[in-house]
Amino acid sequence: MTEQLDTAAMSKKAYDHLWMHFTRMSSYENAPVPTIVRGEGVHIWDANGRKYIDGLAGLFVVQAGHGRAELAEVARKQAEELAFFPVWSYAHPKAIELAERIANYAPGDLNKVFFTTGGGEAVESAWKLAKHYFKLKGMPTKHKVLSRSTAYHGTPQGALSITGLPGLKAPYEPLVPSTFRVPNTNIYRAPAFLADASPEAFGRWAADQIEVQILNEGPETVAAVFLEPVQNAGGCFPPPPGYFQRVREICDKYDVLMVSDEVICAFGRLGTMFGCEKFGYVPDIITCAKGMTSGYSPIGAMIVSDKLAEPFYKGEEMFLHGYTFGGHPVSSAVALANLDIFEREGLNQHVLDNEGKFLATLQKLLDLPIVGDVRGNGYFYGIELVKDKASKETFNDDEIERVLYGFLSKALFDAGLYCRADDRGDPVIQLSPPLISDQGTFDEIEQILRSVLTEAWTKL
């Protein structure tokens, strides 16, 4: 009885004082707030002792799994030695060591690491750097950026401006001007005139639209294009063959910076340290965060090519930008220990060895009438839901509210699976479990999804 009272009290405190992110707080006015209290491996437990599969790795974060005592111990030891010092004109050993290690993982000449505390800050930093760089190079009119339709790049004002989701932006407009959208790589929803195109032809068309937009705006005004290796919002769009190689050609032709936004895709999510490595391209900037510490302490980074850093390493120039907690000593130490786990346990190779099995397990769900498409890469997949497989008819607003939010989100959690039911674009369920997941985890996820989606179909 005491435990129940404590749980109820905790829920009330959460509703009264904890303003949760991207959350309809009214949902919990007369309902308990789900409260997670413990994690171990691929599982989490709530305040009532119920066990769930963490099918989203927290939020595309907990790569090495929950309950890694060695990461907590590293944090404790570092806090005792040097709990905090900023990297503003002074360095500390862990930030130095981590910067070198990340630079060694990064492709090409991406050797300069600018630390932030999260992904949105990394994106914000990249846009500021792009504009500053071109001013120093005598091209002050190059300030515009391109990004893809339905892409999510963060919540700060600049990053939100780059985001391609009108509904997320409307309450905060006017935002930072000079951002423009290009098509994404969702071949399942390709334009009608490309319905019969090969993946290569579709990818060439999608990439070429970046050139069209650069020419529409004027190459002398475009600074950068922001692209995720596998686009998150909309439901995990992988790149068609040759897509990124063509984008690289276009960026080089018009002196436009190619920014690989890898806040989700870096650090093993696709089976490589960086997603650009998986798809064979070298960007000018990589933005990353989340999986760098497996979530055991917050950190992010912007990784920059020597070419872009060069003007800032001369004379009196400086990048007029920074964050108090960027490169935090404790977070840097935890990141180093997390990367040790990656290497010692071969987490990247584990993903590469098992991604085909994960995909094949999820593709079994294609026999359900509500499942239109299963797509993604590595340990990062989206399941698009439809009303009609033949026509690909999607849900209307009422059905999204009633079925996706009113039923699916809670039903999946109640069935023992924490994942994401998302309508940023078309309705999808997203899956991104810890990188230690194996076939047993895949099978459990598929079985829960099958049961809940079968019931969801009856509610359309």
Side-chain angles (χ1 to χ4, degrees):
M1 185 67 175
T2 303
E3 183 178 339
Q4 291 177 344
L5 289 173
D6 287 346
T7 301
M10 189 185 306
S11 179
K12 185 177 187 310
K13 289 176 183 178
Y15 178 75
D16 287 347
H17 304 295
L18 179 62
W19 196 339
M20 291 179 285
H21 301 197
F22 283 101
T23 300
R24 290 182 181 175
M25 293 303 297
S26 62
S27 301
Y28 300 120
E29 184 177 5
N30 298 303
V33 176
T35 304
I36 305 303
V37 299
R38 186 168 74 87
E40 184 67 34
V42 301
H43 293 100
I44 52 175
W45 284 260
D46 69 15
N48 295 309
R50 292 195 62 200
K51 179 181 177 182
Y52 307 85
I53 295 173
D54 183 356
L56 207 60
L59 194 63
F60 320 106
V61 171
V62 191
Q63 316 295 62
H66 296 277
R68 293 278 189 166
E70 66 188 277
L71 297 181
E73 181 63 14
V74 164
R76 183 190 67 79
K77 288 182 177 179
Q78 181 58 45
E80 289 179 348
E81 182 177 320
L82 179 67
F84 174 72
F85 208 81
V87 291
W88 295 47
S89 300
Y90 296 84
H92 59 77
K94 294 305 180 185
I96 296 169
E97 186 180 349
L98 181 59
E100 179 189 34
R101 191 159 179 182
I102 289 174
N104 288 337
Y105 287 139
D109 70 339
L110 278 79
N111 290 312
K112 304 296 190 289
V113 181
F114 185 97
F115 286 117
T116 67
T117 59
E121 290 177 357
V123 170
E124 200 85 1
S125 301
W127 190 8
K128 287 182 71 174
L129 178 65
K131 291 194 285 188
H132 196 163
Y133 168 78
F134 282 118
K135 284 179 172 59
L136 292 179
K137 299 298 285 186
M139 294 176 275
T141 62
K142 289 179 79 71
H143 63 277
K144 298 175 183 176
V145 298
L146 311 183
S147 61
R148 295 187 291 201
S149 171
T150 72
Y152 175 83
H153 292 285
T155 55
Q157 293 282 297
L160 185 58
S161 300
I162 298 171
T163 290
L165 294 159
L168 286 186
K169 300 161 73 165
Y172 311 105
E173 292 176 335
L175 292 168
V176 184
S178 304
T179 71
F180 302 88
R181 241 49 69 212
V182 295
N184 58 46
T185 59
N186 183 6
I187 194 169
Y188 182 70
R189 296 286 179 184
F193 69 90
L194 289 169
D196 298 322
S198 67
E200 291 82 0
F202 172 74
R204 176 69 185 224
W205 170 82
D208 282 347
Q209 301 317 297
I210 294 174
E211 181 174 35
V212 169
Q213 188 70 302
I214 290 171
L215 292 173
N216 284 345
E217 294 303 320
E220 72 282 359
T221 72
V222 180
V225 55
F226 283 71
L227 307 166
E228 297 165 275
V230 175
Q231 183 173 316
N232 168 32
C236 303
F237 307 144
Y243 173 82
F244 278 115
Q245 288 68 34
R246 176 60 181 147
V247 174
R248 180 73 268 181
E249 290 175 1
I250 293 167
C251 288
D252 290 342
K253 181 177 179 180
Y254 298 106
D255 200 9
V256 170
L257 303 182
M258 186 178 184
V259 182
S260 192
D261 183 358
E262 307 207 10
V263 172
I264 288 175
C265 293
F267 305 110
R269 183 52 51 194
L270 305 182
T272 49
M273 277 300 180
F274 295 105
C276 55
E277 178 187 352
K278 182 76 172 280
F279 299 117
Y281 66 96
V282 178
D284 300 293
I285 300 173
I286 295 173
T287 56
C288 58
K290 294 185 183 289
M292 194 189 307
T293 65
S294 285
Y296 285 71
S297 192
I299 198 168
M302 170 180 67
I303 312 168
V304 180
S305 71
D306 288 336
K307 182 185 89 169
L308 295 190
E310 184 264 341
F312 298 92
Y313 275 63
K314 291 181 176 180
E316 298 179 356
E317 295 300 341
M318 72 168 72
F319 184 35
L320 301 171
H321 182 62
Y323 297 101
T324 299
F325 296 111
H328 192 284
V330 173
S331 295
S332 297
V334 172
L336 288 164
N338 181 57
L339 294 172
D340 286 343
I341 291 173
F342 266 76
E343 296 184 1
R344 185 174 71 244
E345 299 185 8
L347 291 186
N348 283 329
Q349 190 59 50
H350 179 74
V351 172
L352 295 176
D353 290 343
N354 289 279
E355 62 177 338
K357 299 173 186 176
F358 191 14
L359 176 59
T361 303
L362 294 177
Q363 285 177 331
K364 293 178 182 178
L365 298 168
L366 287 167
D367 67 355
L368 298 178
I370 198 172
V371 176
D373 194 29
V374 177
R375 54 182 178 255
N377 196 277
Y379 272 27
F380 186 32
Y381 291 100
I383 300 169
E384 182 167 337
L385 308 180
V386 294
K387 285 201 300 186
D388 184 88
K389 291 168 91 77
S391 67
K392 302 181 184 178
E393 183 183 359
T394 190
F395 295 5
N396 60 36
D397 290 345
D398 172 69
E399 288 158 344
I400 286 175
E401 190 67 32
R402 183 166 47 82
V403 179
L404 197 69
Y405 293 123
F407 172 73
L408 267 173
S409 290
K410 186 176 186 301
L412 287 167
F413 190 66
D414 288 345
L417 176 62
Y418 167 70
C419 60
R420 186 178 202 170
D422 193 2
D423 72 332
R424 296 177 301 171
D426 296 300
V428 297
I429 292 172
Q430 283 188 299
L431 296 159
S432 176
L435 307 186
I436 59 173
S437 301
D438 57 17
Q439 187 62 51
T441 308
F442 307 155
D443 288 339
E444 286 188 65
I445 289 173
E446 189 272 339
Q447 289 161 15
I448 292 172
L449 286 169
R450 178 172 295 277
S451 174
V452 174
L453 289 175
T454 298
E455 186 176 354
W457 177 250
T458 69
K459 298 181 180 299
L460 278 174

